[in-house]
Amino acid sequence: FLRFVECQTLLLAPICPHLSEHIWQKISPHLDDSKRTSSIMHAKWPESKAPDEMLIRSALFLDDLIHRIRTGMTPKKIKKSSSAPPIYKRAKVFVCVRLPEWQRIALDVLVRSYDEANNEFPADLDKRVASALPPELKKIMKKVMPFVGMVRDAALSKGGAALDRSQRVDECKVLEDNMEFILKQLGLEHIEVIDAMDEASVLENEQALAGDAVPGRPSFLFFES
C-alpha cells in the first residue's frame, strides 16, 4: 500500500504540488533511506517494471468471463404477467483446455496467412480455412468461422502475439485462483470448472454447449439449485 501511495503522490506532484507535499511529509519517514527526502521536490520520479503481459491477459480474460456470465444470468425483458426471474445458485464453466482438431487447423491457417509487416490477412482467409478442413469437419463451419473471426480480430488489434499459442492463459488456474472473488461478484454458491473435452466430466446433454468453448471464451451453464 505504501508503494502505491508513494507512486501516486509523485505522479500527482506536478498537478497538485501542495497536496502532494503534505502527503509526502506523512509518508516520507516510512520510506527506504534511498527514497526519503525533505521535500517531494527533491524526490525521484517513480520507476516501473516491465508489465507482466500474462497477468494482463489473465485479468482481461477474467473480467470478460465475469461480464459474460453476469449478462447470461440477467433475464431478458420480462412480461408483467410472467413469473419471477430465476435465482441461480451454481454454474458449470466449460474451459477449452486442449484445442480440438478444427481449432488447430484454423489456427495453423491463420498463422500462415498473417502478414505481420502490414498487420493484415488475405481477403480469402475464410476460403483458405474451409479448404484446409477435412470433409468430416466441414459440417461445423458455423462454429469454425466465428472462431476464425474472433482470432483474426484479436491479431489485427494486438498483433501477431494473439496467434502465439504458447502465450495462452491457463484458464483453469485463473478461475481456481480467483474463485472466491468470482463467486462474490456473481452471487453464486458454487462454480464447477470442467475441461470441455473431458468426456467423463461432460454429461450427454451438455456436450453441445461444451463444444462451444474456445480458447479465451469458456461456455457456461446455470442451475437454480
Side-chain angles (χ1 to χ4, degrees):
F1 177 75
L2 181 60
R3 170 64 175 165
F4 172 80
V5 175
E6 174 197 351
C7 291
Q8 294 302 311
T9 304
L10 290 168
L11 294 173
L12 189 63
I15 306 171
C16 301
H18 296 91
L19 174 61
S20 300
E21 181 66 39
H22 175 74
I23 298 174
W24 188 257
Q25 295 302 322
K26 298 291 185 182
I27 67 172
S28 183
H30 303 285
L31 300 176
D32 296 338
D33 291 342
S34 59
K35 297 180 179 179
R36 193 178 304 141
T37 61
S38 59
S39 170
I40 197 170
M41 301 298 292
H42 304 301
K44 294 182 179 179
W45 197 250
E47 297 180 357
S48 61
K49 299 179 181 179
D52 187 333
E53 293 296 335
M54 187 55 67
L55 182 60
I56 294 174
R57 290 181 184 217
S58 298
L60 291 174
F61 160 76
L62 186 60
D63 183 65
D64 177 69
L65 179 60
I66 290 177
H67 172 73
R68 290 175 53 232
I69 293 179
R70 184 181 288 119
T71 301
M73 292 172 61
T74 303
K76 307 299 181 183
K77 293 183 179 180
I78 302 176
K79 297 180 180 179
K80 293 182 179 180
S81 59
S82 63
S83 57
I87 299 177
Y88 299 111
K89 294 185 177 181
R90 61 187 182 93
K92 288 185 177 181
V93 176
F94 302 98
V95 176
C96 183
V97 176
R98 294 160 292 150
L99 295 179
E101 183 182 5
W102 65 269
Q103 289 185 8
R104 291 197 300 270
I105 294 173
L107 280 171
D108 286 341
V109 175
L110 283 158
V111 171
R112 293 196 306 268
S113 303
Y114 179 59
D115 180 352
E116 189 167 8
N118 297 308
N119 189 34
E120 63 181 13
F121 288 93
D124 64 342
L125 178 63
D126 289 355
K127 291 183 179 180
R128 294 188 184 195
V129 173
S131 63
L133 291 171
E136 63 271 19
L137 292 178
K138 292 188 183 296
K139 60 184 179 181
I140 60 170
M141 289 300 291
K142 289 184 178 180
K143 182 184 298 186
V144 176
M145 289 311 166
F147 172 74
V148 171
M150 180 186 72
V151 178
R152 177 200 62 211
D153 292 345
L156 293 176
S157 173
K158 304 173 184 177
L163 300 173
D164 186 356
R165 275 167 277 183
S166 66
Q167 295 298 315
R168 282 189 58 196
V169 171
D170 186 339
E171 299 175 25
C172 289
K173 187 175 187 308
V174 171
L175 294 176
E176 291 167 1
D177 290 347
N178 296 277
M179 186 56 70
E180 183 178 349
F181 171 75
I182 298 171
L183 291 173
K184 187 174 181 179
Q185 286 291 306
L186 298 173
L188 295 173
E189 297 177 0
H190 177 71
I191 293 179
E192 183 179 1
V193 180
I194 301 174
D195 178 350
M197 295 187 67
D198 184 358
E199 296 181 356
S201 301
V202 180
L203 301 179
E204 184 176 354
N205 63 338
E206 299 171 346
Q207 291 177 357
L209 181 63
D212 290 336
V214 297
R217 288 183 67 84
S219 54
F220 40 81
L221 183 63
F222 310 117
F223 301 90
E224 295 183 49
S225 59

